[in-house]
Every structure is written in C-alpha cells, then in structure tokens.
Amino acid sequence: MRARTTRFLGATAIAACACLTLTGTASAVAPANGLEDVLAAAGSDTTVDITGAILANANGAAWNTDPDNHVNIPPLLAAGTTFTVPGDLYADQVVYNTTTTLPPNGSSQGKAALKASGDAGDGKIDIARSSSPRGSSDPASFEYYAFATDGVTWSSSATGSGAGLTLTLAQLRGIYDGSITNWNQVGGANAAIVVYLPQTGSGTLSFFTTTVLGFDPTTKPVTVKRFQEHDANSIPAADRANAIAPFSIAQWIAQGNAVTADKRAGFTVNPLTGAGFNGSPVAGSAGNYTPAFTTAFLGSRSVYHVLDTRTPSYDQAQRAVGFAAGDTAATASPLCGGQLATTIKRYGFLTVSGPNGLSCVKS
C-alpha cells in the first residue's frame, strides 16, 4: 500500500470545485507516470451521479498530486458499448461490456465486487456505492461512510391513472400486497394498477420492501414487473399510464435539475401520508428542485461509500471519500469535510452531520 502523501484537504484546496454539477462517470486522468493508483467505484444506481461528481472533484483537486485516478463505473451500459477501467500497479485493465463482462449493477453487486477485490487483494474495485447499510454477510474489513440522506417514495405518471394522488402508507402496502388492484380504489381513474419494483440486487429494492412496505411483494398475490431503478424509461410505454414504482427522491431531483440525464418519462414522486412526513417530498421548480422531506420520513435512508481495508489503495480511497481517526473538517476528504454540501443538495440529497464537525458518519 502506498503511503498517503497529503493529509491536509482543506477548503482552500477544493473551493473552486465545491459547486460541481458534473454528471455520470468521473473523467479518467491520463497517467503521469507508472506509479499512480486507479481507484474504481461501482454499485448503486442511486448514487452513481453524485459519486461521479465527487470523484471528478478528487481528480481535479490540488491535493491529488500523486496523481490518483478515480474512475466511476456506470451500473448499465448502452447496447454494444464498453467502459474501460485503466490498469495500475495492482490490477490489469478491465473492459466492461454488455455481453461477457457486465459492470456491477446495484448496491449488492457493488459490495460483492468490493469483497472479491479485497479477497484477492487486486484493487479492481476500491469503492462500492451503496444505498443499503451493512449486511450480515459483509466482511469485518468493510467500512461504511454515510455521506448523504435520500428518500424513497412512490411514483406514477403525471398524466396517468394515479396522477395527483396522495397515498397513505396503508394504501401503498395494499397495492403491493395485492389487496388494492385498481386506481379507483385510492381515488384515481378506473384502471388496473401495474406494479413495478427495481431490478434484483438493488439497494432501493431492499430498502423499499424491507423498511417502507415491511414485506416482499413477490410472496403476495400480486404480479410484479421489474424496471431499472430510477429510470422510468425502462418501464414499457404501454404500462406507464397505470404503473406504480418506487423512486429515489434524490434521483428525481437530480434529473429535474439537469445535472444528470432525465429518465423520469413524465413520472412524479408523490406524497405518502402516515409515514412520518405528509407533505410533498420535493420543493421548487425545474432546474431548482430541492428535497423537502425530513429524516422523520419512513422513506429516508442513508447512502454510503463502502471501503475494504484489505484493498491495496484503501488509504487513497479513504482520502477521496472518507476520513481517518482524528480527522476534522479541515483534514478529512472534501466530501466528509463539508466542502461539497452544495453539490450534495444540487443532486437532491440532504447533508449529514457527523462527529468532529464532519459531514460523514462512519460505521
């Protein structure tokens, strides 16, 4: 493991980047020599865009003099395309594609890839993006850095059978357990409800079914269809008018603020009463949306960057998205030091308050 070369990551070094609105993946920087580490992040679709901005900040920061090359792997690739993670001293180049080497898609796959990297000590994956907390099968070497708060609520087409509705928590659960089957049973149009859940392995899927619903709809008498989380374009056009689907509030805001690709397909994120917060989950207007829910909302959840202390670039990954024992806001990563608060809000998340004035919480 290469020793950390710079501990001070204060506001002066990153001020010029504090309001990043970059999208997608962090730009890879050309190797300046043969000694730089390539740090690859993979996993959650919920946080791929905000992590892209965070890692792009790290690539361009004055403190990154080694330089380390932070690469953000997308969870999905367009048909026939590839995504290349350059090689470094620890791992060979990896070329992800849509047939033989798919990128990790979702929190579970991201964490599985990080564990495999730690098991092998090869550094192929250094950071797992996760919208789910520590699991019982995680190795003890995993470190979770909660850096923002998202919310998950139900969504429907703005012009469809559920347009303009507010659901109670009991009604939402009734739809997903099969006891409510028509939109007119909850005040909408006379049309059968088409029930959607995210792809398997999704942290949003796990959170929505475990925390918000409290049960697995696939065990109930209801037909469940799948879509790529937070991408209403992946719901067939014929289903959209009558579909219901969970949606990340942060992703909806980021898409509405044009800091990432708009995949909402006319879907709105809607109020859910009886769940700790009864108002609209979003305030503002297009381009200036902000989260309006509170942490009292049943649908609120932390999002994380997960590190494995066994990976050869662990120290560099911690410098980019975490903090070490004794760090303050002046010495932690810009993310955990609070310098990227504007970016976090722009991408639709609530910020986090941690110990010692930090804006991350380690677990």
Side-chain angles (χ1 to χ4, degrees):
M1 182 186 303
R2 182 157 49 85
R4 179 180 298 193
T5 58
T6 303
R7 284 292 299 116
F8 179 73
L9 307 176
T12 301
I14 54 77
C17 298
C19 297
L20 282 176
T21 56
L22 299 177
T23 63
T25 59
S27 300
V29 295
N33 52 53
L35 300 178
E36 80 288 349
D37 288 1
V38 173
L39 282 79
S44 172
D45 193 324
T46 303
T47 59
V48 62
D49 303 302
I50 181 63
T51 295
I54 292 163
L55 297 186
N57 175 279
N59 278 345
W63 54 263
N64 187 19
T65 56
D66 294 0
D68 293 324
N69 182 6
H70 306 83
V71 180
N72 194 36
I73 303 168
L76 287 177
L77 296 173
T81 65
T82 62
F83 185 90
T84 300
V85 178
D88 63 6
L89 292 176
Y90 309 110
D92 293 334
Q93 171 181 285
V94 178
V95 180
Y96 292 99
N97 57 53
T98 57
T99 55
T100 59
T101 309
L102 277 67
N105 181 8
S107 300
S108 295
Q109 290 187 19
K111 289 189 282 188
L114 177 65
K115 180 181 182 298
S117 185
D119 290 344
D122 60 16
K124 286 185 177 179
I125 300 295
D126 304 277
I127 302 167
R129 304 184 304 262
S130 180
S131 59
S132 58
R134 183 180 295 276
S136 59
S137 62
D138 287 348
S141 52
F142 270 15
E143 294 179 346
Y144 280 71
Y145 292 87
F147 68 94
T149 300
D150 184 23
V152 177
T153 190
W154 68 282
S155 68
S156 62
S157 171
T159 58
S161 300
L165 295 180
T166 293
L167 294 180
T168 67
L169 182 60
Q171 288 172 329
L172 180 67
R173 289 173 172 173
I175 290 170
Y176 277 90
D177 71 15
S179 60
I180 296 174
T181 59
N182 194 296
W183 281 110
N184 64 10
Q185 293 175 263
V186 291
N190 182 15
I193 302 172
V194 184
V195 176
Y196 273 86
L197 286 174
Q199 79 280 5
T200 57
S202 158
T204 299
L205 169 66
S206 175
F207 175 80
F208 183 71
T209 57
T210 301
T211 301
V212 179
L213 295 181
F215 60 85
D216 179 359
T218 64
T219 67
K220 304 294 183 179
V222 60
T223 299
V224 172
K225 296 186 176 184
R226 301 287 181 174
F227 78 119
Q228 178 64 29
E229 59 184 319
H230 325 312
D231 182 359
N233 287 324
S234 67
I235 296 174
D239 283 352
R240 291 177 194 168
N242 299 321
I244 188 170
F247 212 104
S248 158
I249 296 168
Q251 267 288 333
W252 192 93
I253 290 172
Q255 293 176 33
N257 285 343
V259 294
T260 187
D262 190 351
K263 299 174 286 187
R264 296 172 299 166
F267 274 57
T268 56
V269 284
N270 304 317
L272 180 65
T273 63
F277 176 81
N278 292 337
S280 172
V282 173
S285 56
N288 292 290
Y289 289 119
T290 58
F293 67 96
T294 69
T295 54
F297 181 45
L298 179 64
S300 69
R301 58 170 176 174
S302 295
V303 292
Y304 308 86
H305 290 122
V306 186
L307 309 184
D308 191 325
T309 59
R310 301 173 297 166
T311 56
S313 298
Y314 160 75
D315 195 57
Q316 286 72 39
Q318 188 185 64
R319 179 174 64 180
V321 297
F323 61 90
D327 269 345
T328 65
T331 58
S333 65
L335 172 64
C336 293
Q339 288 87 36
L340 299 183
T342 299
T343 301
I344 287 171
K345 294 174 184 176
R346 181 72 173 161
Y347 278 81
F349 295 92
L350 301 175
T351 56
V352 171
S353 296
N356 299 325
L358 298 175
S359 56
C360 294
V361 175
K362 181 180 176 181
S363 59

